Every structure is written in structure tokens, then in C-alpha cells.
Amino acid sequence: MCRRDWPAGARCCRWHASSRWGWPVAPIPKPSWRTCAKGARTLRGDCPGSSSERCCHRPRRSGHGDEAPVQCRVMPEDLVDDAAEAGAPLEAPQQPTLEILRHSAAHLMAAAVVELFPGAQYDVGPPTSDGFFYNFRLPRGATFSEDDLAAIEKRMGQLVERRLPFERSVLGRGEARALFSELDQPFKVDIIDRLGDAVDTVGIYRTGDFVDLCRGPHVPDSGWLGAVRLMRVAGVYWRGDERNEQLQRIYGTAWFTREELDAHLERLAEAERRDHRRLGRELDLFSVSEELGGGLVLWHPNGGLVRSVIEDHWREAHRGGGYDLVFSPHIAQRGLWETSGHVDFFAENMYGPLFIDERPFQLKPMNCPFHILIYKSQARSYRDLPIRFAELGTVYRYERSGVLHGLLRVRGFTQDDAHIFCRPEQIEGEIGRVVDFCLDMFRTFGFADVNIYLSTRPDKAQGSEEDWRRAESVLEGQLRQRDIAYRVDPGAGTFYGPKIDMKVLDALGREWQCATVQFDFTQPENFQLEYTGEEGGRHRPVMVHRALLGSMERFFGVLIEHYAGHFPLWLAPVQCEIVPVQDDVPEVVALAAAVVGRLRDAGLRAAVSDKPGERLPKKIRDAELRRVPYVVAVGRRDVERGDDRVTVRDTRRGGQYELAVSDLAEQLRTEAAEKRAD
RNA sequence: GCCGACGUAGCUCAGUGGUAGAGCAGCGGUUUCGUAAACCGCUGGCCGGGAGUUCGAAUCUCCCCGUCGGCUCCA
């Protein structure tokens, strides 16, 4: 049996005796999804548990039907936790994966931290989707500052040069507990204590003087960890619960080669160049300001123009899709929100009541009660259904100050909301129709790839489990019927029903939550909605809530980043800019004005460059920086030639060519009318 | 809200105890030039706010406010 006081380099157990690289290949758990035996014990409770048990926070079924094995998306922390729980360490594969490399990098970082900060206690340190982290507590309440990262990284570099082996051993639970008690590592002791009696042995890894509770596997030695960069430090709650003490987490990224690391850093730089907050300022699209208040947005003329074009398209599509457009006020009597259940279920996101004539009013956090009142404004017959109300409805929700983020997370936003009221037998068709409608709209805006999630019953919910199961199967059925791949996101439904979420993938492959299609059998009940059936009886309609683009604010932010500010022609604030080569030649100025006039007559947004006196290259550069799709130079040469041809510069594709003005107008008109997304 | 970083001119930033700086933008002038930055000049700042330490604070300390990266939560 392994002993904790083994001499460096000694083989302390049968695992170690054979612990040379070249072990048989063992399956490596993916960092996100893994199969969980029903009732399996983990540190966060039995599995599968309710959504409050974080172990099973996001389980899914790996196939269809109840008999399919349940898989859990385990929080990154759990990886290490349940790795320890599994007892026997995993054997190393022939070829380490990126996950193994990053997990090893986390160990090495902890080793460096423990050397540089004696008394530091370490919690868990798993790989993540693009790197790794480790959580720490420093003695006497000290904290890391970002300046410490350079020192830690430097020490890691020294450990890399020493090519320290990752030495594995297996200890009995009691032995491991004693070891970590002696090392004054309470987090590890806690993990061991939570393993339960079923677990006899745990894995231990040693790197130099650093010892960690870990299942492994790891790279053979620290020499593999040359391409590592520590990124930032963050505060995190112990075991992810905000009632707990806050630890500090250091994030890093690790790659096999320097080149891969550089490429990763370049991707981050590209994301920064596309940041909608930066482009929003540079392109004068929108602003947020301290004076205005956090989470509130001002749409400037350029952004306002893009928004108008988006909204025009949206209205046109909805009218064509069988929706009726409606409008509703920003505040209403608070009683409406008591009836809807929001006061009970959504309170933490709602602003306080506002008193008018001594009666409480509520700034609206959602649009649904209004559409319900429109439904209730008259007796409805089965012949009227389905009824589809759509509205660009501005709502206000309280968000904690730390989560506000440009246009992507705000406190006041306009949802492109719709509510469908239908007969129970119509629900499947309506859900399917909405799904198709959404995917079609996304394609128009250049999002061909969409990830789809089915969110099921949360802990805090209205309605019977039976209703929920039926509703969930309707949603699932429509997705399957369309052969749409999806994932189940258990416990993530709203309080009134399950939902389908659609997340678009942008040009950088990032996922953004936009559409949500929510089944609701509780609001019709809360508001006592009815329709008269064919046989004259009273029936309760079913409701579907649907946001498509999500909110105008978020969608605009996503669009800006997706296109890096280079909007397709139909969305561009200025579609074509005319640049006079000589400002002081009246014939040239007249020609520029004439070209602008003809483009405008074709329905295009065209303008003359507003930089008189500047040189041509400067004017071109200025238009390029403002992401104007087409720039047309007109000069004395064109006037003298008099053949109505001009030079057109295509700033997105980089081409430059001569074209008759009439052809240019027609070409751009067509491109804009077709709403080409490229 | 919590951990960390940051807050200096419209924007990007330099300035770490001794008289507030640069580039770009803006304005004025010269230049009229054929596809990503002509030249000269000028304007512009209660250095986020408040309190303190000091002969003296953009600079050091404390408290607020805000922004950014995370945590938690979500459209």
C-alpha cells in the first residue's frame, strides 16, 4: 500500500511500480457530459437528483425514451470531485488529450502557488472548455492580485524545466484523509469526507513537493507544460454556492505547442476586436453611460437605423406568418402580476411597485399578461384559434450590477415577443410552425447554425407533473419530427412550462441565446381563459410564449460581433458613400450629388463623403473604418469621360471595378432587396 | 452583491509626491490630390466623486460611484 512519506522518485505501490508512460489506453471522461448510474453517489448528492442538487444540474438522456441512460453535464468542479470518488485512478492513455494536458497544468499551477504562497490551500482544479483553473484560499485572508500571475507563471516555467514526473499512487480513504489533514488542506479533507463508505481508495498525484487528491490521468512530466498562460483571477464561491465563503480562482489556458497557444491568444484578440461595445462606439451605434444608469441603452442614429431595418423585416415576416401585431403599455396594476404568478415566481427580477392614486402599479418585466388581456377582451370561439399576437415590447428587469454587459445583458430591453393561443389539438402544429419560423428568421440574419435545447421542469413550478410531462413530450415530438438535433436541459424550464431554447452560433463559433419557445398551460388557468367549442361548451386554450431574436438589444450586440461591424448591405446604416476626388471642381461635386440622388431614387441609403479638403486615400480610409459596404469615387476624369461610369470599391470583399451608375444602382438594390447575408 | 483590475481631453493612452502630456478626433488655414492616414496652427481636462495624510496629491490612505474580467443568474 502506498505511503504518503515515500522518498522522491520511489515506487510506492503497484500503481507506481508500473507508472511509466505507455499504460493501456483507458477511456477519458469528457469534461462536460458523462453517464451517471441512477442513484450514484456524488459529492453533490445522489444522481439523478433534482436541479437543486448541482451534480445533476443539467442531466440529459443520451437517447429517446425513459429507458435511455441519464447523462449529467457536470459542473467543472465536479469532475475532480467525482474523479476522487471513483477511487481507482484512471490509467494514462498513450496520447494525452488537451483535457489531460490542462488538468496537469492546473496541478502545476497549484504547485507553483503553494511554493510561492506557503500555507495556500487548494480546492479543485479541473480543465475547462478553453483552459483550466484552480481555486485557492491564501492564509490570513490574503488575496491574489493580477500582478501575482506573472510570478506564478514564472515559477511554473521553472517547474517545467525540471521535468517533474506526475507520480501516481492509491491511498486508503483514511490514509488520504490523514495525509491532507497533516498538509492542512481542509478542502481535500472535505472532499474525502463526502465520498461515503462505499469508496475505499482514492488517487493521489504528486508533482515535486505538491500532492493532490486526483483521479488523473496526467501527462508524464511537467516538461509537457511549456505553452501555458495564466489569464486572470476571479472570486468564486466555495462549491458554487453563494452562501459559502468566497475563494479565489486563477484561470489559465494550456496547449501542446507555443503555436497553438499563440493561435488561441489571437482568437481572443479577434473577439476583442469584434467586441460590440468597442464597435458600438467606433461606429456610433449606441451608448450606455453613467449618467443614464447601468443596463440602459441609448440607440444612436446609426444603430437606430439598423434597428429600424431589423424591425421592418420582423414586422413583415410576422404579418406574413399569421401574427397580429399589438402594443401594450410599460406599466400596469400590480394585481395583474399577482394573477400571472410573476409576483411569486419572478420577484427578484422585478422592480418595486409604483403608486398611482395610492394603488400599486408595476413596471412590466414581461409582456404576456397584456396579450392575455387582449385575448380576454372578447368571447373567443374555436373558429378564432389559433390567435397569434406579436409585439416589440419593452420590459424592465432587475439585474445585479455585476452582470450587466454592454447590449448583451441590460435592465431595459425590447423583447420581440409573441403569444399564441390555440386549442389543445393545435398545439403540436403551432410549436412546429414557430420552430420553422424562428430558424428561417435566423437564416436571414446570417445565422445558419443554431443549437437547440429542451428545458424541462424546474423545482419552483406551477402545474402538475403530469401536465409537465405531456407538454415536454409535445415539444420533443416536434423537434424529433423535424429531425432537429437537440439537448435536454433539465430543470431549466420557466415556472409556467417547459421550453425550447435556440442559441445561434456566430462567425467565431460562439453560442448566443436568442429564441425561446415556451409552452404554458398555467397562465390560461391563472387568467381563466376560455373559448367556445364546436359543441358550445367552454374550453381552456393553451398558450405558447415565444421570443425570437430575444431582445433587440442582445440581438443587435450579437449581430455586431457576428459581422464584426461589416453589416450585410440590407442592414448597413450607410450603404454607399460617394467620394469626390476633387472638392473644388463644381462639375465633380455636381456629379457626386447626382450619383447620390440616383442611388437614393433606387431606395438605397447613399451619401457624399463629409470630409471636404481631405485627400482621397483619407476619405476612402474613413469610409472603410465606418464599414460602409460600397465606396464610389467620382472625379474630373469621370466628368470628362462623360460615359456615366464610376469606380466602385467593395469594402467587404476587397474588389474594385468600374460600373455604369444605372447598373450600380440596380445591383445594390437587388442585393439589399434579397437581404443577402454575406 | 462578492473577488480582481481599471477610471487622466470626445477616443486610445503616457505621466507614481513638486507648474497636467501625446496621438487620433474637432476647429482654422495651406494643399485639390484617383482608392486605408498631406502639412501647419488652435481649441479642449475640478486627473470619476468625497474625506484624510502632507508645505504640496493625478500620484499615498480610506469611503463611495462607475466600467471591465469572473462567480451567481439570465433575453
Side-chain angles (χ1 to χ4, degrees), chain A residues 23-39:
Chain A
W23 281 336
V25 176
I28 306 306
K30 301 285 282 182
S32 51
W33 298 97
R34 63 185 295 272
T35 304
C36 243
K38 208 171 177 79

Side-chain angles (χ1 to χ4, degrees), chain A residues 136-137 143 187 234-238 241-249:
Chain A
F136 299 97
R137 176 165 64 192
T143 54
F187 299 120
V236 295
Y237 299 102
W238 180 53
D241 187 329
E242 66 180 325
R243 288 166 302 194
N244 287 341
E245 170 195 3
Q246 200 164 42
L247 308 179
Q248 274 195 306
R249 172 176 297 176

